[in-house]
């Protein structure tokens, strides 16, 4: 086994990972692959929250953590932190009728549009709701931007572009160029439309600005929605009656019917003087029943108690959930197994737990957290952040793991988004110490910083990053790595083909896990506190926490 571990790391400039200098024999590539194989197996049914797949997942994680000698980390000698949610799903088919000047068109849920709701009502019925184009649907006074102006959206459906106004602009403007801000995220679009009192919001899907294809939208848009528990009044105010997406081709047809050119109107929406535009005679009627129920899902938490600074914490996290059963693919396969996304991350957290548990006691306490409901809107992470098991002001850092690669070794490692946090430089330093490189996120326009569980901690001030694989493959370089990533997102992201196969090559996964260990080991035994850089929107929040800590 020692030879296997060592040889798996002899690939970057002749520099070995020196796996035998780590506790427990070092990072085991085969253990990582084995965890993914189990978690992404058909028996686990795609690991959807509140299903039999969740039960199998939770029990597997507990068994592994216990076998390493870790302690239950959720309090009261429990391995799990219960996360109460509301699940909402269509109860039967949805009907949608679009009335245009040129005639009537019946829309197909999942093909033309996706239709959902999180409002607490048994049925969603809209009759001839006018459609209004509101550009990117952004109100950002600090950036001198308001797409809504004074438009009254009561009883109307807002048609919104995905991403923000800089993505396809000729030059950087109010939104940091192609590096998408939170204003570009679909979650924000829904939130702002609800604040405006809209009857509904439909986001126009385009693959490049969304960073995923229609298959991904369809997969999530025809699955149950989850939300945190809210009072009825809050839930009604927080959500529009109707939410969903529409295909670009449908949007183009609506604009054309209104005597408008979609591309021309989109260009207008890239300017701060944009004015909301009623879409001619376009009116939408929808009707579907809703089934709502309170459910409880679980974060799984293991703890390695610290020594002299046991009251301080470092968190290693990854989300365990995937999408469960969905519509059958061309091969009749319905299980969306989530092997890369994110059984790989969970495997890393498990292996880190094993190695740390085999070593000396850290100064700070270490938490190994498998989070639920990330795919439903970072809900498990958000619940933990609101109900922390270690005080957030005493949490030095969160190292979140997402989507490590099964395609072998790379020369680099990366983090998601531009976090403007010292942890990015720390990751670069430990990578260089192992003869590797750190690559900033090459796809800032995808908005990954806002799409992973670390964001739930960051927005409350805790220094946090999500660590993912690099692109610079030993075989083929960046070009080969980018081609593999693009193919995955085009074909298998949230689809049944995101599956473990016998050709899985865990060498890169193991090398990346080693760098997370190196960074985590430093944080576990350091008196340094990671910090947000000047200009970060999260720095002031952390400063207030620092003041309370002092």
């Amino acid at each position: 086994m020692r030879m296997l571990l060592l040889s798996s790391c002899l690939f970057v400039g002749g520099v070995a990972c020196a796996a035998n200098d780590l506790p427990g024999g070092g990072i085991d590539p085969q253990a990582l692959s084995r965890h993914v194989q189990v978690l992404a197996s058909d028996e686990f049914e795609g690991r959807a929250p509140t299903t039999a797949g969740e039960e199998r997942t939770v029990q597997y994680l507990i068994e592994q953590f216990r076998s390493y000698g870790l302690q239950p980390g959720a309090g009261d000698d429990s391995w799990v932190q219960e996360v109460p949610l509301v699940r909402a799903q269509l109860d039967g088919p949805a009907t949608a009728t679009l009335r245009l000047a040129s005639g009537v068109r019946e829309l197909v849920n999942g093909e033309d549009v996706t239709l959902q709701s999180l409002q607490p009502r048994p049925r969603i019925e809209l009759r001839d709701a006018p459609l209004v184009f509101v550009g990117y649907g952004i109100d950002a006074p600090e950036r001198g931007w308001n797409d809504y102006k004074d438009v009254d959206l009561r009883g109307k459906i807002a048609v919104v572009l995905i991403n923000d106004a800089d993505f396809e602009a000729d030059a950087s403007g109010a939104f940091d160029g192609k590096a998408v801000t939170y204003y570009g995220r679909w979650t924000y679009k829904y939130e702002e439309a609800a604040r405006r009192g809209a009857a509904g919001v439909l986001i126009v899907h385009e693959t490049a600005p969304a960073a995923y294809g229609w298959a991904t939208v369809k997969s999530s848009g025809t699955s149950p929605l989850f939300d945190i528990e809210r009072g009825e009044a809050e839930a009604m105010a927080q959500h529009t009656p109707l939410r969903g997406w529409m295909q670009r081709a449908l949007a183009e047809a609506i604009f054309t019917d209104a005597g408008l050119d979609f591309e021309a109107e989109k260009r207008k929406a890239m300017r701060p003087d944009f004015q909301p535009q009623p879409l001619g005679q376009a009116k939408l009627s929808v009707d579907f029943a809703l089934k709502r129920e309170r459910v409880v899902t679980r974060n799984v938490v293991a703890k390695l108690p610290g020594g002299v600074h046991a009251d301080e914490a470092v968190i290693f996290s990854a989300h365990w959930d995937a999408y469960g059963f969905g519509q059958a693919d061309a091969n009749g396969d319905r299980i969306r197994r989530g092997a890369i996304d994110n059984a790989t991350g969970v495997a890393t957290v498990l292996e880190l737990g094993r190695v740390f548990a085999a070593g000396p006691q850290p100064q700070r306490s270490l938490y190994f957290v498998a989070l639920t409901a990330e795919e439903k809107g970072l809900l498990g992470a958000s619940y933990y952040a609101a109900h922390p098991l270690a005080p957030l002001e005493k949490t030095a850092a969160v190292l979140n793991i997402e989507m490590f690669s099964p395609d072998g070794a790379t020369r680099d490692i990366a983090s998601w988004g531009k976090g403007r946090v010292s942890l990015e430089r720390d990751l670069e330093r430990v990578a260089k110490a192992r003869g590797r490189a750190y690559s900033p996120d090459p796809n800032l326009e995808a908005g990954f910083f806002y799409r992973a569980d670390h964001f739930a901690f960051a927005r409350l001030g805790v220094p946090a990053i999500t660590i993912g694989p690099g692109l610079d493959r030993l075989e083929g370089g960046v070009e080969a790595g980018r081609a593999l990533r693009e193919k995955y997102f085009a074909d298998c992201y949230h689809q049944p083909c995101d599956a473990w196969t016998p050709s899985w090559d865990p060498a890169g996964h193991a090398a990346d896990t080693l760098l997370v260990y190196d960074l985590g080991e430093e944080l576990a035994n350091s008196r340094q506190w990671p910090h947000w850089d000047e200009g970060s929107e999260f720095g002031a929040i952390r400063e207030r926490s620092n003041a309370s800590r002092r």
Side-chain angles (χ1 to χ4, degrees):
M1 178 59 73
R2 176 179 169 183
M3 288 299 294
L4 168 65
L5 291 168
L6 190 60
S7 65
S8 73
C9 297
L10 285 167
F11 60 82
V12 181
V15 177
C17 291
N20 56 345
D21 68 358
L22 269 64
I27 305 299
D28 182 351
Q30 298 310 314
L32 292 168
S33 181
R34 187 166 57 250
H35 289 314
V36 175
Q37 182 180 6
V38 171
L39 291 167
S41 66
D42 289 1
E43 182 183 0
F44 281 63
E45 299 180 350
R47 304 191 310 281
T50 74
T51 66
E54 167 169 352
E55 184 61 33
R56 294 186 181 96
T57 301
V58 168
Q59 293 308 313
Y60 180 79
L61 297 175
I62 292 173
E63 289 168 7
Q64 299 304 307
F65 284 139
R66 182 185 287 121
S67 73
Y68 306 150
L70 296 168
Q71 295 184 10
D76 297 325
D77 200 34
S78 176
W79 294 97
V80 299
Q81 180 186 43
E82 292 191 344
V83 180
L85 300 174
V86 172
R87 178 171 59 200
Q89 56 191 319
L90 271 63
D91 190 9
T95 61
T97 303
L98 177 64
R99 297 186 183 278
L100 302 171
S102 57
V104 176
R105 177 173 174 177
E106 299 297 328
L107 303 181
V108 179
N109 190 28
E111 301 300 329
D112 303 305
V113 292
T114 63
L115 304 172
Q116 296 176 307
S117 181
L118 277 171
Q119 276 207 341
R121 57 174 72 189
R123 194 170 201 94
I124 302 299
E125 293 182 272
L126 298 179
R127 290 289 176 264
D128 291 329
L131 273 57
V132 180
F133 178 53
V134 293
Y136 289 91
I138 295 172
D139 182 11
E142 77 283 5
R143 297 173 186 256
W145 200 277
N146 180 7
D147 284 326
Y148 288 93
K149 305 304 189 283
D150 295 321
V151 66
D152 182 2
L153 288 176
R154 289 173 296 180
K156 301 172 185 175
I157 294 173
V159 175
V160 185
L161 299 170
I162 191 60
N163 213 302
D164 56 43
D166 278 8
F167 178 74
E168 293 182 278
D170 296 328
S172 295
F175 294 95
D176 304 336
K178 290 189 179 299
V180 68
T181 66
Y182 186 64
Y183 293 114
R185 295 285 294 133
W186 58 266
T187 48
Y188 170 79
K189 313 292 186 183
Y190 291 149
E191 292 164 4
E192 189 60 41
R195 285 190 283 269
R196 300 283 168 169
V201 53
L202 290 175
I203 301 171
V204 179
H205 174 262
E206 295 182 273
T207 296
Y212 39 78
W214 181 258
T216 300
V217 173
K218 178 179 178 178
S219 178
S220 57
T222 54
S223 298
L225 288 174
F226 290 80
D227 192 19
I228 61 173
E229 282 191 301
R230 309 174 192 268
E232 182 171 348
E234 181 189 359
M236 291 292 286
Q238 185 71 24
H239 303 295
T240 56
L242 175 70
R243 59 189 279 179
W245 293 67
M246 71 165 72
Q247 295 262 33
R248 176 188 162 119
L250 176 59
E252 290 176 337
I254 294 171
F255 277 66
T256 298
D257 187 81
L260 302 169
D261 178 80
F262 177 77
E263 277 297 325
E265 296 304 312
K266 189 163 74 166
R267 299 297 297 183
K268 292 179 184 178
M270 297 176 192
R271 297 170 48 89
D273 60 356
F274 165 81
Q275 293 291 327
Q277 176 68 57
L279 292 176
Q281 299 181 41
K283 296 180 179 180
L284 183 66
S285 298
V286 300
D287 184 11
F288 55 86
L290 276 177
K291 179 182 178 182
R292 289 173 55 89
E293 54 190 327
R294 184 184 188 273
V295 295
V296 176
T297 182
R298 290 162 288 179
N299 294 327
V300 183
V301 187
K303 180 180 180 181
L304 181 60
V308 65
H309 300 296
D311 60 328
E312 300 171 5
V314 177
I315 294 174
F316 304 89
S317 66
H319 75 89
W320 60 255
D321 64 304
Y323 272 98
F325 289 100
Q327 295 186 1
D329 66 8
N331 299 316
D333 193 347
R334 296 182 55 231
I335 304 175
R336 295 168 290 182
R337 298 167 180 82
I340 294 175
D341 182 16
N342 189 36
T344 58
V346 177
T348 287
V349 171
L350 288 171
E351 184 66 355
L352 290 171
R354 182 188 69 80
V355 174
F356 274 110
Q361 184 181 40
Q363 291 185 27
R364 287 168 165 156
S365 295
L366 306 184
Y367 288 80
F368 304 90
V369 187
L371 295 160
T372 187
E374 187 267 0
E375 302 289 8
K376 306 303 180 183
L378 317 184
L379 297 180
S382 297
Y383 187 86
Y384 178 102
H387 305 85
L389 298 168
L392 295 186
E393 66 272 12
K394 291 293 189 76
T395 299
V398 175
L399 303 181
N400 188 59
I401 316 300
E402 274 274 2
M403 300 173 68
F404 278 164
S405 172
D407 298 316
T410 62
R411 297 178 179 88
D412 58 343
I413 194 168
S415 59
W416 284 25
K418 186 177 181 180
R420 292 184 291 183
V421 63
S422 61
L423 290 169
E424 293 167 333
R425 295 185 293 280
D426 294 334
L427 181 60
E428 180 177 20
R429 177 172 43 76
V430 299
K432 287 182 177 178
R434 295 283 185 183
R436 300 183 66 197
Y438 167 76
S439 295
D441 188 341
N443 301 111
L444 293 176
E445 62 272 21
F448 284 127
F449 187 83
Y450 307 99
R451 292 168 58 179
D453 279 326
H454 78 278
F455 180 62
F457 296 91
R459 69 193 308 177
L460 295 181
V462 181
I465 57 173
T466 286
I467 301 172
L471 290 178
D472 190 4
R473 285 173 46 81
L474 294 187
E475 299 180 6
V478 174
E479 183 177 356
R482 182 176 290 113
L484 285 168
R485 179 173 295 184
E486 290 176 352
K487 179 174 176 54
Y488 168 78
F489 276 98
D491 298 341
C492 293
Y493 183 52
H494 296 172
Q495 302 302 312
C497 57
D498 184 2
W500 182 92
T501 67
S503 63
W504 195 276
D505 181 353
H509 189 178
D512 290 347
T513 299
L514 175 65
L515 295 186
V516 181
Y517 172 86
D518 287 345
L519 179 53
E521 196 275 336
E522 281 191 6
L523 293 168
N525 296 292
S526 172
R527 296 314 304 137
Q528 298 300 313
W529 290 82
H531 61 274
W532 298 103
D533 296 340
E534 184 176 355
S536 166
E537 60 264 55
F538 311 117
I541 303 171
R542 187 60 165 183
E543 280 303 309
R544 291 194 291 271
S545 295
N546 290 344
S548 67
R549 187 175 72 242
R550 291 192 293 265

